[in-house]
Amino acid sequence: MGTMDLYERTEVINEWLARYGVKFGIYKNNTFKEQLFPFDAIPRILGAEEFAVLEKGLKQRVRALNLFLKDIYGAKKILLDKVIPEEFIYSSSGYTVQCEGVCPPKDVFSHISGIDLVQGKDGEWYILEDNLRVPSGASYPVIARELCRRSSPKTFRENRIEDNRNYAELLSHVMDYVNTGGISVVLTPGRYNAAYFEHSFLAERMHVPLVEYDDLIVENAHLYFIDYSGKKVPVGAVYRRISDEYLDPMNFNPESVIGIPHIYDVYRKGNVALINAPGNGIADDKGIYYFVPKMIRYYLGEEPILKNAPTYLPFYEEDRKYTLEHFDRLVWKDVAEAGGYGVQFGSGMSAEQKEKFIATLMRCPRRFIAQEVIDFCDLDIFEKGERVPRKADLRAFVLTSEEPVVWKSGLTRFSRNPDSFIVNSSQGGGFKDTWILSQS
């Protein structure tokens, strides 16, 4: 596709990314450390027809998940009809009792959904997991594309690629749609958060204030931003990058020092929109993932367009028996973990590790899911001047206002370890741009 001009500038683009502070932070051994998110200039390329199928399937999935969240904190019909076992919901660490009976503005729970997919070597796309709490990563392909355009304008003149620079515009529309009256803000836990670059980047692109806990105050069941002059400005929508437990010390974790006291009370009264809605963690639970195809059939009356990875729940005796018999060929996941943590391959465990794991599994079968190992596609990356294959996934972003909209881009992450299937940035992965080819 005439892209060698771009490939030859990979090092330059990474230098620019470093100069602009495109980093993520990780905590290890109680120490915060920032590091670069390595970029590879060979893009993932999806044709218009292939993307159209993904787009249709992703919209379907997010519609069903939003309906599930509304139902599970409301009428609970899906439990009454025994589609999902009741105890499976109430035993989940993601279920938030404070959200019972609370419906967000315009009934939108997951305004921003980050859906992780992989493409098998059979060409089939599989959903790996749903991220509906505080999904991150959209800023990286935006800025990488801008630097690629600047570095090699010829590449983008010669190829029909969908423009991905509208992410902030899409997000602004979502916030405006649910705004209850007032300005919109981006709430960050602060400079030492792993995704602080993204918080500041998106706030700047949307032309809204980037705020911390001490910039906001609750008075008379309304939320206010205290501007530089000390004036109190009404706030109608908060894109919060703080997890539920730290959002409001009066309603969630009382030890939180980065939350806003009583902000949840304002939300509960319908006087502010929180993006994403508190309580979404129940849909992020990897055990609930197993039931999403059933949700699609139940709420929409449709067959799922995109497949789950073949998944087993040891919670069920039949599945537990199967997974123990086929232990070594499966990948095991702790349902409450994220970021590539809590993932173990049966074939990679020692006899002692396997014995300990099975003992834990038998005590807490609800804690784990098991999946068939999908031999997903390799994508080429540049390493020491050579093209080498590495495992890669795709995080697609679906933004929901009147209807779900799939952003025509995405975050393609790859493993820099040739022997690893784990692609997360926290585990040392890198990222690529994702090109959606235009039909016109």
Side-chain angles (χ1 to χ4, degrees):
M1 298 181 68
T3 51
M4 279 308 299
D5 187 46
L6 174 62
Y7 301 164
E8 291 169 358
R9 289 169 168 76
T10 298
E11 287 189 19
V12 172
I13 295 167
N14 272 292
E15 288 173 6
W16 283 347
L17 289 168
R19 188 182 306 168
Y20 289 127
V22 183
K23 301 176 180 179
F24 65 92
I26 56 173
Y27 283 96
K28 193 170 184 179
N29 299 324
N30 295 318
T31 301
F32 178 80
K33 179 183 178 183
E34 278 193 320
Q35 60 189 61
L36 298 174
F37 196 5
F39 174 71
D40 183 77
I42 305 175
R44 161 171 256 152
I45 301 173
L46 298 176
E49 291 184 5
E50 183 176 21
F51 181 75
V53 175
L54 289 178
E55 184 176 37
K56 189 175 179 182
L58 289 164
K59 286 181 179 181
Q60 179 194 59
R61 192 173 183 95
V62 169
R63 282 194 189 100
L65 285 164
N66 261 303
L67 289 168
F68 164 72
L69 287 163
K70 181 181 179 181
D71 184 27
I72 212 66
Y73 289 118
K76 298 178 177 54
K77 291 181 180 177
I78 200 165
L79 301 185
L80 295 172
D81 290 335
K82 302 188 184 304
V83 178
I84 301 176
E86 191 173 288
E87 62 268 33
F88 214 84
I89 297 294
Y90 298 129
S91 63
S92 171
S93 61
Y95 172 74
T96 308
V97 69
Q98 294 93 326
C99 296
E100 276 294 330
V102 180
C103 205
K106 304 288 181 69
D107 289 351
V108 181
F109 283 79
S110 187
H111 311 81
I112 307 158
S113 307
I115 311 297
D116 293 345
L117 311 94
V118 293
Q119 187 175 30
K121 290 188 174 176
D122 57 359
E124 191 84 49
W125 284 90
Y126 297 90
I127 305 284
L128 281 189
E129 61 183 54
D130 307 292
N131 300 279
L132 277 65
R133 282 176 287 186
V134 191
S136 64
S139 63
Y140 298 107
V142 174
I143 193 167
R145 177 80 61 88
E146 290 182 2
L147 296 178
C148 286
R149 282 179 178 276
R150 187 186 308 175
S151 178
S152 178
K154 177 183 175 184
T155 298
F156 295 89
R157 285 195 302 266
E158 293 180 349
N159 296 285
R160 299 193 307 272
I161 306 162
E162 293 284 358
D163 196 340
N164 78 344
R165 290 174 289 185
N166 66 337
Y167 184 81
E169 180 183 335
L170 294 172
L171 183 53
S172 290
H173 176 74
V174 167
M175 296 185 75
D176 291 344
Y177 176 71
V178 297
N179 193 299
T180 61
I183 65 168
S184 295
V185 300
V186 176
L187 173 62
T188 176
R191 176 69 184 78
Y192 295 105
N193 182 265
Y196 182 76
F197 163 78
E198 178 160 279
H199 308 169
S200 57
F201 179 85
L202 292 175
E204 179 184 0
R205 291 302 171 96
M206 291 192 291
H207 309 291
V208 303
L210 177 68
V211 303
E212 296 186 30
Y213 70 97
D214 52 357
D215 296 312
L216 300 175
I217 189 171
V218 171
E219 286 187 356
N220 300 318
H222 286 80
L223 184 68
Y224 296 91
F225 166 57
I226 304 172
D227 71 10
Y228 66 93
S229 67
K231 180 183 176 182
K232 295 174 185 174
V233 182
V235 176
V238 179
Y239 176 27
R240 50 102 180 194
R241 297 300 297 257
I242 294 178
S243 58
D244 288 4
E245 59 266 38
Y246 299 111
L247 181 63
D248 181 348
M250 309 306 291
N251 282 280
F252 300 108
N253 185 347
E255 295 183 0
S256 172
V257 295
I258 57 172
I260 299 92
H262 298 295
I263 189 174
Y264 188 71
D265 297 317
V266 179
Y267 167 76
R268 186 159 33 206
K269 290 185 177 182
N271 293 337
V272 73
L274 297 178
I275 298 161
N276 281 336
N280 282 10
I282 184 62
D284 273 13
D285 185 311
K286 290 180 175 63
I288 296 298
Y289 158 95
Y290 173 90
F291 296 99
V292 177
K294 295 184 179 184
M295 291 179 200
I296 292 170
R297 297 183 185 101
Y298 181 78
Y299 292 117
L300 304 179
E302 301 170 358
E303 282 301 308
I305 295 167
L306 297 174
K307 296 180 179 179
N308 275 13
T311 304
Y312 308 95
L313 290 185
F315 175 83
Y316 293 124
E317 185 177 350
E318 183 180 353
D319 280 17
R320 186 162 64 248
K321 181 180 177 183
Y322 176 87
T323 57
L324 291 173
E325 289 174 353
H326 300 86
F327 189 93
D328 290 348
R329 60 180 261 190
L330 301 172
V331 55
W332 294 84
K333 296 182 179 180
D334 189 316
V335 299
E337 293 282 1
Y341 296 99
V343 177
Q344 298 185 70
F345 289 83
S347 59
M349 294 188 202
S350 66
E352 183 180 358
Q353 289 172 326
K354 182 176 175 180
E355 183 180 347
K356 287 183 178 179
F357 184 91
I358 290 175
T360 304
L361 174 69
M362 298 304 287
R363 285 197 309 273
C364 311
R366 169 64 176 86
R367 181 178 164 182
F368 301 97
I369 64 169
Q371 293 179 323
E372 301 286 352
V373 179
I374 297 173
D375 189 10
F376 55 96
C377 288
D378 297 308
L379 296 179
D380 279 354
I381 69 166
F382 278 118
E383 188 174 275
K384 298 179 181 177
E386 296 183 359
R387 291 177 72 127
V388 295
R390 293 291 184 269
K391 297 298 180 187
D393 77 350
L394 171 65
R395 172 165 291 181
F397 292 89
V398 185
L399 294 96
T400 300
S401 50
E402 299 91 342
E403 288 290 328
V405 174
V406 182
W407 182 40
K408 292 187 176 180
S409 185
L411 177 66
T412 292
R413 301 173 296 182
F414 62 86
S415 171
R416 289 193 291 163
N417 179 347
D419 301 316
S420 176
F421 283 67
I422 307 297
V423 300
N424 304 72
S425 56
S426 58
Q427 305 290 306
F431 80 104
K432 292 173 170 287
D433 195 2
T434 305
W435 290 4
I436 313 301
L437 300 185
S438 173
Q439 290 180 320
S440 59

